[in-house]
Amino acid sequence: MEKGKSARHAVEISLKKLDLNDDRNFKSSHLIPSLHSSKLRIEKTKPPSLVSLCLGVIGRHLEEIIEDLSEIAVNFPADIKIPLAAIARRRKLLNDDVIISLADSSWEILDLSGSDVSDFGLAKVAEMCKSLRAVDISQCKKITANGVSELVRHCHSLETMRCGGCPSSESTARRCLGILKPKLNDVEGDSWEELDTMEIGHGAQSLRWLVWPKIDEDSLRMLSAECPRIIVNPKPSLFGFKGTEVPREAFPDVALDDPIVEDIDPKTWSICRTMPRAMSPSLSSANELSIAEKFRLAFVERDTRLAPKRAKNARQHQRRAEREWMMTNTRAKALALASKATKSLHGRS
């Protein structure tokens, strides 16, 4: 009997321990998601950087400086130029002049979707930015097969291209099939997948992903038969495509330049572009200036104020240079001593 009681008591104690452990595990399992969610909340409420705030201000007034953008953007670094191009695209201000003014040789992505960029602008940018890996020309009514041909000719690292989206862009995409198809120097290979870039003579040498949502059946059949290396409209998958990870740029549900402006306030490009209403002469002020003019006047005022100081510094620098030259140059020393001796002789006489 005593053995039975002791065994029953041991079982009860072990059950209590299991309940306590389960409760502790339950609390810990609920604690981890709560910590994770709080971390996500902290990340979401992270304040934007000073650079992003400045880009937001410039983006809101982009149309006021767009005429002088080619002169202003010369000294901008690449990580400032590309967000300005993304903001200009979202504000429907992106055209040939803007994209050429902002283009930088370090760019690897180019999003022109829905813009007014033409073949001329695309060709100029392709000539400057030869390291482009992903380009979006969807819904570009002014880009034709000629522009795509220049893009393929200059950008040999191009892996992803987006096209289509409107009737003119769909027509351009169909006309570009012959341009995009690689042409072989070596026709004895067994498989496209085993080809090296050097064995491809012309066409899109590195193109692997083509995003064309409304591709027609004939075009899809021709691409699949003649250049299976180019994957059309790849689907997201945990295992990639034939062992190759599909890049983010090949998914059409996300804009190509979204990561570039993720830290900038969306209100920057949601400004309504309505024409200002006419104001009566009594309400309008003749002294009201644009922001660009205010910046110009402030710069002129500062330049005028500092002009005397710059002149003084220049004179001091010149005198210092003359003294250093006289101290280091033997001929100058001799001339200075001769001049002093001549002055002293004339003084005595």
Side-chain angles (χ1 to χ4, degrees):
M1 291 293 290
E2 291 179 359
K3 290 182 179 179
K5 288 180 180 179
S6 60
R8 195 182 303 112
H9 183 65
V11 171
E12 289 175 357
I13 291 173
S14 62
L15 287 174
K16 288 181 179 180
K17 287 182 179 179
L18 286 174
D19 291 337
L20 289 173
N21 291 333
D22 289 343
D23 186 61
R24 194 178 298 111
N25 291 333
F26 176 81
K27 289 180 179 179
S28 63
S29 63
H30 280 68
L31 181 62
I32 293 172
S34 63
L35 289 174
H36 182 65
S37 60
S38 63
K39 183 179 179 182
L40 289 177
R41 282 197 298 270
I42 292 172
E43 290 179 353
K44 287 181 180 179
T45 57
K46 180 182 177 182
S49 64
L50 181 59
V51 174
S52 299
L53 292 174
C54 293
L55 284 170
V57 174
I58 296 174
R60 289 187 185 94
H61 303 280
L62 194 57
E63 67 277 4
E64 297 181 19
I65 63 171
I66 210 163
E67 293 182 359
D68 303 317
L69 192 59
S70 58
E71 299 177 6
I72 297 173
V74 171
N75 297 319
F76 283 172
D79 57 345
I80 298 298
K81 290 180 179 180
I82 195 164
L84 288 178
I87 294 172
R89 185 184 71 81
R90 285 163 170 77
R91 295 203 57 195
K92 305 300 180 184
L93 298 172
L94 193 61
N95 54 27
D96 288 346
D97 294 334
V98 175
I99 195 62
I100 293 172
S101 300
L102 294 174
D104 190 90
S105 60
S106 64
W107 285 6
E108 293 187 354
I109 68 167
L110 179 66
D111 195 337
L112 304 177
S113 57
S115 69
D116 291 329
V117 176
S118 67
D119 288 342
F120 176 76
L122 180 59
K124 283 290 184 182
V125 174
E127 188 176 350
M128 297 167 64
C129 312
K130 296 184 178 181
S131 301
L132 290 174
R133 294 184 299 100
V135 175
D136 190 343
I137 56 170
S138 58
Q139 302 181 33
C140 290
K141 299 178 181 179
K142 297 182 179 180
I143 291 179
T144 66
N146 295 329
V148 178
S149 176
E150 290 297 311
L151 174 68
V152 170
R153 185 168 73 90
H154 290 290
C155 302
H156 297 163
S157 300
L158 184 65
E159 298 177 355
T160 306
M161 193 173 83
R162 301 183 182 187
C163 55
C166 67
S168 58
S169 187
E170 296 283 340
S171 175
T172 298
R174 285 191 289 271
R175 292 173 182 269
C176 290
L177 291 178
I179 301 171
L180 299 179
K181 290 189 304 182
K183 299 174 180 61
L184 301 182
N185 289 331
D186 177 16
V187 295
E188 296 180 359
D190 295 330
S191 172
W192 278 83
E193 303 297 330
E194 298 174 359
L195 290 176
D196 295 329
T197 305
M198 298 300 295
E199 296 173 339
I200 301 175
H202 304 284
Q205 300 178 7
S206 302
L207 188 64
R208 185 67 189 269
W209 316 100
L210 179 64
V211 181
W212 185 0
K214 295 183 179 180
I215 184 173
D216 57 281
E217 293 183 2
D218 293 337
S219 300
L220 181 60
R221 192 181 305 111
M222 187 181 73
L223 283 172
S224 301
E226 299 186 19
C227 46
R229 183 176 185 175
I230 300 176
I231 310 304
V232 182
N233 299 326
K235 300 294 187 294
S237 172
L238 294 175
F239 305 102
F241 187 87
K242 294 184 178 180
T244 304
E245 183 180 358
V246 180
R248 185 199 64 82
E249 293 85 359
F251 298 139
D253 55 340
V254 181
L256 198 61
D257 56 6
D258 265 358
I260 299 169
V261 294
E262 61 183 358
D263 196 30
I264 300 176
D265 188 0
K267 293 179 182 178
T268 302
W269 50 82
S270 62
I271 299 174
C272 183
R273 295 186 63 199
T274 56
M275 295 296 293
R277 291 179 296 178
M279 297 178 64
S280 61
S282 59
L283 296 177
S284 61
S285 174
N287 296 325
E288 187 175 356
L289 301 174
S290 65
I291 292 179
E293 182 65 15
K294 289 178 181 178
F295 271 110
R296 190 188 70 81
L297 292 175
F299 177 79
V300 171
E301 181 184 358
R302 178 178 177 274
D303 187 68
T304 305
R305 188 176 67 253
L306 296 178
K309 185 176 181 180
R310 284 199 302 270
K312 180 181 178 182
N313 291 338
R315 289 193 298 270
Q316 290 178 351
H317 181 74
Q318 184 178 0
R319 287 196 296 267
R320 191 179 300 112
E322 290 175 355
R323 286 196 300 270
E324 290 178 356
W325 179 70
M326 291 180 64
M327 294 296 294
T328 56
N329 193 301
T330 307
R331 180 187 173 94
K333 288 181 182 180
L335 290 173
L337 291 173
S339 177
K340 287 182 180 180
T342 304
K343 288 180 180 179
S344 62
L345 289 173
H346 284 297
R348 289 178 182 178
S349 61

